[in-house]
Amino acid sequence: MGTDLKYKISFHIRLFLTLLLLFGLFLFSFLIFQFRRERLYKAERVNTELQIINTRLSHYLINPAAMDSVVRQNRQSVMENLRVTVMDTAGTVLYDTDQTLPLDSFANHADRPEIIRAMKNGSGYTIRRLSETTNKEYFYAAAFTGNYVVRSAIPYSVSLKEVLKTDKLFLPVMIGLSVIISALALLFTRSLGNNIKRLRKFAKLADNGEPLDDIGPFPKDELGDISNHIIQLYSQLKQTKEALESEHRMVEQQKLEQTRIKKQLTQNINHELKTPVSIIQGYLETLMNNPSLPPSKKQAFIESCYKQSDRLAQLLNDISTITRMDEASEIIEKTELNVSDIIRDVFSDLDAHLQEKKIKPVLDIPEQIIVKGNHGLLQSVFRNLTDNAITYSGCDTIYVKLMESGPDHYTFIYADNGIGIDQDHLPRIFERFYRVDKGRSRRMGGTGLGLSIVKNAILLHGGTICAGKREGGGVEFIFSVKTQ
Ligand code: ADP
């Protein structure tokens, strides 16, 4: 119930009321203190005036006639109803201006508070006390002269009350000030309250994992800045956590994909190896079981076996390159080399084939393209692309161009003007064992691993590769290689 009420009254109002209460208490204590102090100050002033008369009278203590004259003078000039009493140190009254009563009928004055104080401190006063003698209220001021105590008193009349009354002029000032301070407190607590309200909302949303969109802006003050900072930090933390989670999911997916690819690769390898092996086996069995075969037939079978074994060797070679890149990519040795030399060497090695097919290479490359890379892998990039162009494209020109020379990489374009690759196949040609025309590729001695080797080699050199249709027919590969 208490907590319910606490939450029903907003933090802002609670804070404001608390401040107001504290301020009220302070103001009340201050006013009491101030009133007392002023009253005391005014009483001190009346006391001083009476003490002056006491001092003057102390010179005439042994001469009552002179004393009467001094009292009369004072009554005329200052205090109309001045009463003077003289006592000895024992409190016995020796003189009193009120001569209506005989002196011996006066009670002993030793117990009067102003007398006690005067005997102790030399002087003392009492603001308001009823006289037992005259049955009137007086303001008394007493002074101790050494042998006597002289006491002057004035009636506690309306006019004295007016004199002692505290000045209430500063009350309206204090009230005005209080109103201003309360208004300021209201403003201050409202901004603080807004901050707290929004922070509480933020905590609730964060707790439920909900989006922080509708918290609203924080007031533009220090607490608002801190609150904004907290929310920013929280958002960053959340983003980092989400990024980590998604990264973790991606790693898991990659792991699964790798396992799937490995499994598929093993299946494909088995399948690819089986074909040439069983062909070789078939020919050899026929040769063994038919020794009387004509020599020309035997020769043809042996040549077929050789062709298949050649294909097997090529397949094993490609598989070994691929697994080397997959499993030991970080230990692949890199040296500073000239890619221009590699390209020219590849074309000179394949010159006979190019001439046979009447293909003209157009090389638009500078003398020096220096990168830090693996010679064998970069060679296999240009070798496979050129082999493919010769084998599958039916082109008459191959174009190799250095398209861009960036601060940390080179971009090449490799194209031919042959039959090209259909759009349906383009996204898959870098997959392992993917062939556009399976029968034709096998017949041509292709393993289906060529472009996969090209892509992996480029990735290992910090680059990217994509294949597309060349304007004017044929296929074009755009790829980059990092210089370091
Ligand atoms: P392979 O190792 O069998 O040559 P690749 O991975 O190198 O296999 O090539 C995949 C397929 O892409 C080939 O079967 C071929 O049909 C097609 N291909 C590759 N290069 C070209 C090209 N320049 N022109 C036309 N088709 C091509």
Side-chain angles (χ1 to χ4, degrees):
M1 172 81 180
T3 346
D4 274 3
L5 192 69
K6 208 169 137 190
Y7 283 108
K8 255 180 212 157
I9 304 173
S10 74
F11 177 78
H12 160 214
I13 298 296
R14 275 186 287 137
L15 192 66
F16 175 65
L17 290 179
T18 314
L19 277 180
L20 217 59
L21 185 75
L22 286 175
F23 181 66
L25 276 175
F26 166 75
L27 200 67
F28 181 69
S29 320
F30 175 75
L31 285 179
I32 290 193
F33 169 76
Q34 183 62 21
F35 278 138
R36 288 177 74 99
R37 217 174 62 117
E38 200 173 327
R39 199 174 145 79
L40 207 68
Y41 168 72
K42 291 189 168 167
E44 288 283 354
R45 261 176 42 194
V46 176
N47 175 47
T48 310
E49 275 180 52
L50 292 175
Q51 291 297 356
I52 292 170
I53 298 171
N54 286 346
T55 313
R56 236 190 270 168
L57 287 168
S58 63
H59 302 301
Y60 308 102
L61 286 180
I62 39 160
N63 186 351
M67 275 190 45
D68 281 343
S69 138
V70 173
V71 172
R72 254 196 318 276
Q73 267 174 31
N74 276 295
R75 274 182 175 162
Q76 274 163 14
S77 60
V78 205
M79 294 152 187
E80 208 182 323
N81 296 311
L82 178 72
R83 179 184 161 202
V84 175
T85 315
V86 180
M87 286 136 282
D88 63 13
T89 50
T92 312
V93 176
L94 304 175
Y95 169 86
D96 195 290
T97 39
D98 190 349
Q99 286 163 4
T100 49
L101 289 168
L103 279 177
D104 51 7
S105 67
F106 280 79
N108 188 294
H109 275 42
D111 61 346
R112 307 293 196 262
E114 66 280 2
I115 308 293
I116 297 171
R117 263 180 235 133
M119 294 288 283
K120 203 171 159 205
N121 306 323
S123 70
Y125 68 93
T126 304
I127 296 176
R128 183 180 188 177
R129 191 167 57 72
L130 188 72
S131 162
E132 281 176 30
T133 321
T134 64
N135 211 21
K136 284 183 197 161
E137 282 186 319
Y138 285 97
F139 183 110
Y140 295 102
F144 178 50
T145 60
N147 298 318
Y148 304 99
V149 178
V150 187
R151 186 185 73 176
S152 300
I154 45 170
Y156 198 82
S157 59
V158 179
S159 54
L160 180 63
K161 248 191 220 166
E162 272 308 307
V163 172
L164 292 178
K165 215 171 91 181
T166 45
D167 189 358
K168 302 228 169 39
L169 193 77
F170 69 97
L171 252 181
V173 178
M174 291 306 278
I175 290 170
L177 213 68
S178 308
V179 171
I180 293 171
I181 289 176
S182 303
L184 286 177
L186 190 71
L187 276 179
F188 168 72
T189 51
R190 197 171 59 180
S191 128
L192 204 68
N194 273 343
N195 264 313
I196 302 288
K197 201 168 96 187
R198 287 192 165 75
L199 271 179
R200 191 190 283 158
K201 197 168 177 186
F202 155 70
K204 208 168 146 193
L205 290 175
D207 207 27
N208 298 336
E210 288 172 34
L212 307 176
D213 311 332
D214 57 342
I215 295 181
F218 280 91
K220 285 190 171 53
D221 54 20
E222 279 175 32
L223 191 62
D225 282 353
I226 294 171
S227 308
N228 274 326
H229 209 71
I230 290 174
I231 291 180
Q232 230 173 41
L233 283 177
Y234 171 79
S235 302
Q236 277 171 7
L237 210 73
K238 207 170 150 210
Q239 269 173 15
T240 317
K241 201 178 147 211
E242 278 167 7
L244 274 175
E245 276 170 7
S246 105
E247 209 172 295
H248 182 72
R249 274 199 302 275
M250 251 169 67
V251 169
E252 288 297 310
Q253 261 175 8
Q254 272 173 1
K255 270 189 195 161
L256 278 176
E257 182 63 9
Q258 267 173 3
T259 323
R260 191 189 68 78
I261 289 173
K262 262 192 183 156
K263 218 167 137 188
Q264 202 186 35
L265 184 67
T266 325
Q267 279 171 0
N268 285 339
I269 290 171
N270 281 342
H271 178 75
E272 293 294 327
L273 290 177
K274 257 184 206 157
T275 319
V277 168
S278 59
I279 293 174
I280 293 171
Q281 259 181 342
Y283 282 130
L284 289 178
E285 260 173 33
T286 319
L287 283 172
M288 277 189 323
N289 296 338
N290 302 291
S292 54
L293 273 177
S296 61
K297 206 128 202 164
K298 276 187 187 170
Q299 180 63 25
F301 282 2
I302 290 169
E303 274 175 18
S304 291
C305 275
Y306 179 75
K307 224 172 154 183
Q308 289 305 321
S309 75
D310 207 33
R311 185 172 148 67
L312 261 181
Q314 178 63 40
L315 204 60
L316 290 173
N317 202 23
D318 282 357
I319 291 169
S320 130
T321 313
I322 287 242
T323 36
R324 193 158 59 96
M325 282 194 282
D326 271 358
E327 275 157 25
S329 55
E330 59 287 343
I331 55 162
I332 281 175
E333 202 186 308
K334 284 185 178 169
T335 51
E336 206 162 87
L337 44 83
N338 186 355
V339 185
S340 285
D341 286 347
I342 293 177
I343 298 172
R344 287 180 214 286
D345 286 350
V346 165
F347 279 99
S348 105
D349 285 351
L350 294 171
D351 193 43
H353 287 88
L354 291 165
Q355 285 200 16
E356 191 188 320
K357 295 249 178 155
K358 299 194 172 48
I359 299 173
K360 186 171 75 129
V362 178
L363 307 185
D364 183 5
I365 49 171
E367 277 300 306
Q368 302 265 327
I369 306 175
I370 307 297
V371 300
K372 199 167 176 202
N374 182 277
H375 190 276
L377 290 181
L378 285 177
Q379 194 178 38
S380 71
V381 168
F382 291 97
R383 175 76 197 225
N384 274 303
L385 292 175
T386 313
D387 275 344
N388 283 353
I390 296 171
T391 316
Y392 306 114
S393 77
C395 68
D396 60 24
T397 317
I398 294 174
Y399 307 93
V400 186
K401 187 177 174 184
L402 180 69
M403 208 171 105
E404 189 205 347
S405 166
D408 64 344
H409 69 275
Y410 290 109
T411 307
F412 295 89
I413 178 158
Y414 190 106
D416 63 54
N417 59 355
I419 56 165
I421 300 173
D422 270 359
Q423 196 59 47
D424 305 348
H425 296 288
L426 272 176
R428 299 195 59 191
I429 52 167
F430 294 107
E431 285 177 23
R432 289 165 188 190
F433 297 112
Y434 188 81
R435 295 169 174 107
V436 175
D437 178 346
K438 288 193 177 67
R440 184 159 180 264
S441 166
R442 282 216 180 85
R443 272 200 312 281
M444 300 295 196
T447 59
L449 290 171
L451 287 180
S452 167
I453 291 175
V454 170
K455 184 174 179 177
N456 277 338
I458 292 296
L459 292 179
L460 277 175
H461 284 83
T464 53
I465 183 165
C466 65
K469 280 178 180 293
R470 177 181 167 271
E471 237 178 81
V475 60
E476 73 177 16
F477 296 91
I478 296 175
F479 56 90
S480 59
V481 174
K482 282 223 158 143
T483 48
Q484 286 295 317

